[in-house]
Amino acid sequence: MKLLVCISKTPDTTSKISFVNNGTQYNEEGISFIMNPYDEWYALVKAIEIKEKNGGTVTVINVGDASNDIVIRKALAIGADDAIRVDGKPTSAEYVAKQIAHIAKQQAYDIIFTGKETIDYNGSEVGPMVAELLDYDYFAFASDLSIDGSKKTVSREIEGGVEITTSTNPIVVSAAKGLAEQRIPNMQGIMMSKRKPLEIVNPIAVAEKVSVKIHTLPEAKKGVKLVDSNDMDELVRLLHEEAKAL
Amino acid sequence: MSVLIVIEAVEGKLNKGAFEICTYGYKTSKVLGTTCEALIIGDAHNATEVGKYGVANALQIGNISFDSKVFTQIIAKTANDLGADTIIFRHNSTAKNVAGRLAIRMDAGLVSGVKSIPQANGNTLLVDKSVYSGKAIATYEINSPVKVLTVMGNTIQPEIVGEAAIVTLSSTPIPASTTQVIERKTITGIVPLPEAEMVVSAGRGMKGPENWAIIEELASEIGATTACSRPVADAHWRPHHEHVGQTGVAIRPNLYFAIGISGAIQHLAGVNSSKTIVVINKDPEAPFFKAADYGVVGDLFEIVPKLTEAIRRFKQH
C-alpha cells in the first residue's frame, strides 16, 4: 500500500499565545514548535502500523520552510520511509491542500492521512479539500481503520457515537484518538532518519480566498468567585440570577 | 444571491442546533440584503418550523446514508440551482466531512468554526473564529464570490421572527454512493456532548468508577450530559465518548461543572469556550480555578450531593 501522511508544525500545546505587527502575525519568540499531535500520534503511527502489517511505503508531506525539517525528521525517526516538503508558506487550508493534491495526483496513494485538526487553526479543512481535489472518499475523525484487500472499514466519530463505513476506493482519513497509540522514536530510528530521503519541491500558485485580518485575545475571565462549601444554595442562586445558567 | 443553510434531521426531527443555524442564516441574509433558504437533509416532522426562525424557502430530501461525496454533490447542485452564494453549516461531524469538499467544488472561500455573525465589507465578508484552542480569536476576510461557513454551536440562540414555512421536496437527484454505511452506533436518550447545553464533568478526584452515582444524580437533576477528563477515560473508569478536552471532544456548553479535575492545559483547550464554568476541587491551587467563573474549595464527596439537594430545592420553588 502506498500511504501518505500530511504533517503540520504547530506551537506546543502549553505555549503562551501572543501576536505582533498589530495582531497580524503570530509571535514566535520563545515558542517551541512540535509536530501537530494528531498528525504524529494517530495519523503517522497508524500509517506505520498498516505498513508493518500489509507492506508498502509511508511518505510524509509537509508544506512550509526549512525550519519545518525538524518535525519532518522526527516523523522519519518514528518510522516513515521518506518525506516531501513543499517549500511554500502555508497561508490557508486551501493553499496547503492544493500543494498536497498536486503531488499526490502523480503518485496514486491508497490512503492519505491527516490529523483531525491542527491545534493552532483548528480547521479540519485540509483533509476534505485533498479528498475533493483527488476525488477520493473522505472520513473525518476516524477512530478505527481496518484493511482487507482493497476494502477499508472506517469508524468515524459522529455526535454521540460512531458510524462504520466501508469503501473500496482510495481514501483520505483524518485521525482521531483511538486510531493508534503514540510512539516514541528510538535511537536507531533517529540515526536512520538522517539518511532517509527528504525531497524539497517548489509550490504551485494558489489564489487566496480567505485571509486573517487580525488576531485578538479573548476577554479575560473576571476571576473566580469562591462560594462557601457549606452554602450550595448560594451557588445555585448565583448560577440562576447572575450567570443565568440554571 | 441568497444564503443557503444546510441542516439535518436527528431521530426524525430538527433540534435546537438546527434552529440556531436558521437564526444565524437569517441574520446573515439581513446583513447581505437577501433571503435565507434551507436544505433539510433527512425526514423531520417539524421541518416547517424553520420558517419561524426566518427561513424563506425550504427544500427537503429524505433519509440518505452519509457519504461525503454524495452530500457535497447534492448541496452544490442545490446552491447552484437556487443561486445561493453563502452556504452555512453547523460545525458538526457532517460539516467536518463536507464543507472542505464543497469549498473546492464551488471554488469558495471556507472558514470553519465561526463564532460571530458575518459583517459585510464591500464584496467581502468578515467573520471571527477561535484559534489556538480558544486562546485567541482570528478575524477572517473571505473575498471569493461563493463563501462557505461552519458555525460553532451556541453562537446564537434561535429567535422566532416569522411563520411556518412551506417545505418542498427537493427534486435534486441523489447520486450513487461508492461507500457503504454498515453500522451506526449512537447513545440514545441523552443529548450528545457536542450539543449539550449543560455538562457535568468529573476527574481523578472521584477516586474510582464506583463513586460516579453522585455525578449522575447531579447531571440528571439539571438535565445535563456527563463527561470526564482524559485520565478517567484512559483508566476505563468512564467510556471514551465521555472524554472532553483537546484529544477528546471539544465542547462549549452554557454551563460546565468540573468536579475533581485539576485543569491541565490540554483539558482546558477543549472546554474553555464554555459560557459559565464551575470548579469544585479540594485543592485551592488547582489551575482550573483560574479559568473558572465560580469555585468551591472542599471535599467533592460532601459538596456534590449538597449541590444536587440545593438544585432540587430551587426547582421546587
Side-chain angles (χ1 to χ4, degrees), chain B residues 12-28:
Chain B
K13 67 180 173 84
L14 297 175
N15 59 22
K16 177 172 170 277
F19 296 133
E20 286 177 17
I21 298 305
C22 294
T23 295
Y24 186 94
Y26 173 71
K27 297 214 166 187
T28 302

Side-chain angles (χ1 to χ4, degrees), chain A residues 2 23 52 66 93 96 109 111 159 177 207 210 238:
Chain A
K2 276 181 71 125
E52 286 166 352
V96 172
Y109 291 104
I111 307 176
E159 282 68 31
K177 190 181 175 193
V210 300
L238 287 167

